[in-house]
Amino acid sequence: MYEIELKFLVPESRLKGLMRQAKVKSSQVTQMAAHYYDTTDQQLAQAGIGLRIRQEGDAWVQTIKAGGDGIAARLEHNLILDNKQVQAMLDHNELMPDLSIYKDTVIAPALADFKLKKLAKNLTRLYVTDVQRTTRLVTQDGSNEDVSDNSIEIAYDYGEIIHGTDDTQRDAIQEIEFELISGELDFLFSTAKTWCQRYKLCLSTVTKAERGGLLIKGQSHSPATAADLSALDIDKKISMPAFSHAVVHNCLLQILPNSSAIVAGSADNDHLLQLSIGIERLHTVLQAFDGFSDEINPDWSAILQKTATLLAEYRKLAYLNTHIEPSLQQYGAPIVDWTADIDAIKITPMAVISANDFQIMLLELIAFTMSDTSLENQADKPAITKLEKVLTKYHDTLLRAEQYLEEMYGKSDHKLENESIIKAQHKLHGHLQDLRYISELVAPLYGKKRSRRWLKRVIKAQKALGQHSDMTDYQQYYQNKALSDSTALYGAGWLNAALVTREKATEKHLNKFYACSVFW
């Protein structure tokens, strides 16, 4: 069966208030010890599979989780084990899962790439969890006793993950989960939103199995997640609402893992970069396909725009400090310290992403992707009939931006320093980026042969112009810094010279793109 669950990290400042609501008279407290299994090179984890044997009160349960939508829904199979057999295995330190039980179950396709007998021989206990779980059943009528048509289980977990061979290596667990037991998804999301607003909760897609795998590797966070267009599930017959849901879902697959890492404390520039790209992709999608679904909330675009703006300056200054500055020093540049500039930005990426409006929006977007598209007004209209109009609109806007930039170039002798030209370049890049994101998402509906050449050229042109625009910004940062710190003059001059070379390469890629015939 599918488990539909939303998980949140709990801020320390809100824990006492949250526990007053989680630990009511009808709630239950259960001590749970779980043993997680995989091969030493974590083949199951790489396939998105989690396998455990867990003591839940007086019972022992073998559980495997796999597949799902990559966000809130996962395929789950549970089997209650014989306590005497489990105890016998524990006495001899031989507790191992039985994989033969999955041969004729819904979980079998997830294990199709494995030879179960060989896999069973290579399994080992990698880590364990020791958790105290406080559960509370909530029904729509407010009762906490009987399961009604709409009911969810709220579970607060407090404990730790422990390395399987070195119990000095541990990672704390403090999270709350909302799982749909029965009824409508709307009740799950409305309840989660209420708690999220009240206790400033932050969504996390990081499972205990993933955290255990990271502990084994000695890592705090998984690597940054880039866009994965191969995960986009669409075909030529897809309806307009279903298409909008699918492309939003694809954007969330990039946003949620990176936002989860940041709210958990990651300061990795790659997480911030990929989150920013995901936000930009999603903003483009909501703007371009706003008429494809009645359920798209216009407030989402405004929140995304605000979030992107708040993240942009921090990301650029951080990149200056960790990438541009070290590169310049290799060429003999004097040291320029950007730490004070970064500290002067009052709001950090963690604070931006933890903001209640952003977290509530993420919940609403997940609910949007999981809602029934067949109930929408345009459910009988194929998406492909409207896509040509969308693509043409964005393509025409891009060409007008290019024409305007050419006019600006013709009026200026100082192209690299002209503020109007810099603004026009940034606008052109924004339009080119929008067209790239849209083209990548709709291309599967037109076929690889028609779209391959276009996509190749639009990606190269967008990357080249994006790097040029970023370098222009970095040069401006050094130029402004030089007003109060003369050591920044070297960087300003070096970047200005580098822009001349980069401008030629950018123009080359843009010209190739403009000469390419559209695929729609």
Side-chain angles (χ1 to χ4, degrees), residues 273-490:
L273 172 62
Q274 291 303 327
L275 173 63
S276 298
I277 293 172
I279 288 173
E280 290 166 354
R281 290 178 69 227
L282 180 55
H283 183 260
T284 298
V285 162
L286 294 176
Q287 292 287 304
F289 308 117
D290 62 331
F292 281 48
S293 170
D294 303 327
E295 303 300 320
I296 291 178
N297 185 342
D299 292 341
W300 295 340
S301 288
I303 294 170
L304 289 167
Q305 186 68 55
K306 181 183 74 173
T307 304
T309 301
L310 289 171
L311 293 176
E313 185 176 7
Y314 187 99
R315 180 167 60 85
K316 287 181 179 179
L317 282 171
Y319 191 83
L320 278 176
N321 203 41
T322 58
H323 289 76
I324 301 297
E325 184 60 23
S327 296
L328 289 173
Q329 288 173 31
Q330 288 182 353
Y331 290 99
I335 296 174
V336 177
D337 186 6
W338 294 97
T339 306
D341 301 81
I342 295 173
D343 292 341
I345 301 176
K346 295 181 180 179
I347 187 164
T348 64
M350 181 187 287
V352 173
I353 303 309
S354 300
N356 224 211
D357 62 346
F358 185 78
Q359 291 295 320
I360 294 297
M361 179 201 67
L362 290 181
L363 271 176
E364 292 175 348
L365 285 163
I366 296 170
F368 170 75
T369 65
M370 298 181 76
S371 62
D372 188 351
T373 59
S374 67
L375 302 177
E376 294 196 37
N377 291 329
Q378 302 179 93
D380 59 340
K381 296 181 180 179
I384 199 166
T385 60
K386 298 290 184 181
L387 290 179
E388 181 177 345
K389 184 177 180 180
V390 172
L391 288 161
T392 300
K393 172 186 172 182
Y394 277 79
H395 188 246
D396 289 348
T397 301
L398 171 69
L399 295 181
R400 287 195 296 270
E402 165 63 18
Q403 184 178 0
Y404 177 75
L405 179 60
E406 288 297 324
E407 291 173 359
M408 296 299 295
Y409 266 113
K411 297 176 181 179
S412 175
D413 295 326
H414 304 283
K415 299 173 184 177
L416 297 177
E417 300 174 8
N418 187 297
E419 186 175 344
S420 297
I421 286 181
I422 292 173
K423 287 182 178 180
Q425 286 176 337
H426 278 72
K427 283 188 176 181
L428 179 65
H429 175 251
H431 293 310
L432 184 57
Q433 182 173 270
D434 287 344
L435 188 58
R436 172 195 170 172
Y437 293 154
I438 295 169
S439 299
E440 288 177 324
L441 291 166
V442 306
L445 302 184
Y446 288 88
K448 289 184 179 180
K449 288 185 178 180
R450 292 181 61 180
S451 60
R452 184 184 293 116
R453 188 163 174 253
W454 165 274
L455 288 177
K456 183 178 179 180
R457 291 195 178 183
V458 74
I459 290 170
K460 285 187 176 181
Q462 184 268 324
K463 284 184 176 180
L465 186 55
Q467 290 169 354
H468 185 277
S469 297
D470 286 343
M471 186 172 286
T472 300
D473 289 340
Y474 300 144
Q475 196 278 336
Q476 290 294 303
Y477 274 111
Y478 274 93
Q479 192 74 44
N480 293 332
K481 184 84 165 176
L483 298 175
S484 58
D485 183 356
S486 60
T487 59
L489 284 170
Y490 184 102

Side-chain angles (χ1 to χ4, degrees), residues 20-62:
R20 282 195 293 269
Q21 289 296 315
K23 207 167 186 178
V24 295
K25 285 184 179 180
S26 59
S27 65
Q28 296 182 341
V29 178
T30 307
Q31 199 67 32
M32 299 190 303
H35 305 250
Y36 284 79
Y37 298 88
D38 204 337
T39 61
T40 53
D41 56 354
Q42 299 190 41
Q43 293 178 24
L44 289 178
Q46 291 171 25
I49 300 171
L51 177 63
R52 74 174 183 233
I53 297 177
R54 184 168 73 184
Q55 184 179 22
E56 303 176 8
D58 295 330
W60 284 88
V61 182
Q62 179 175 315

Side-chain angles (χ1 to χ4, degrees), residues 110-154:
L111 294 167
D113 293 336
F114 296 95
K115 294 181 179 179
L116 294 187
K117 289 184 179 180
K118 181 179 180 181
L119 177 61
K121 290 180 181 179
N122 292 326
L123 287 179
T124 185
R125 188 188 72 170
L126 292 185
Y127 49 91
V128 298
T129 60
D130 184 12
V131 170
Q132 184 184 79
R133 169 167 287 184
T134 303
T135 57
R136 171 187 171 186
L137 189 69
V138 176
T139 59
Q140 194 162 28
D141 60 10
S143 168
N144 291 295
E145 297 177 0
D146 299 319
V147 178
S148 70
D149 290 340
N150 287 321
S151 64
I152 62 173
E153 182 183 76
I154 300 176

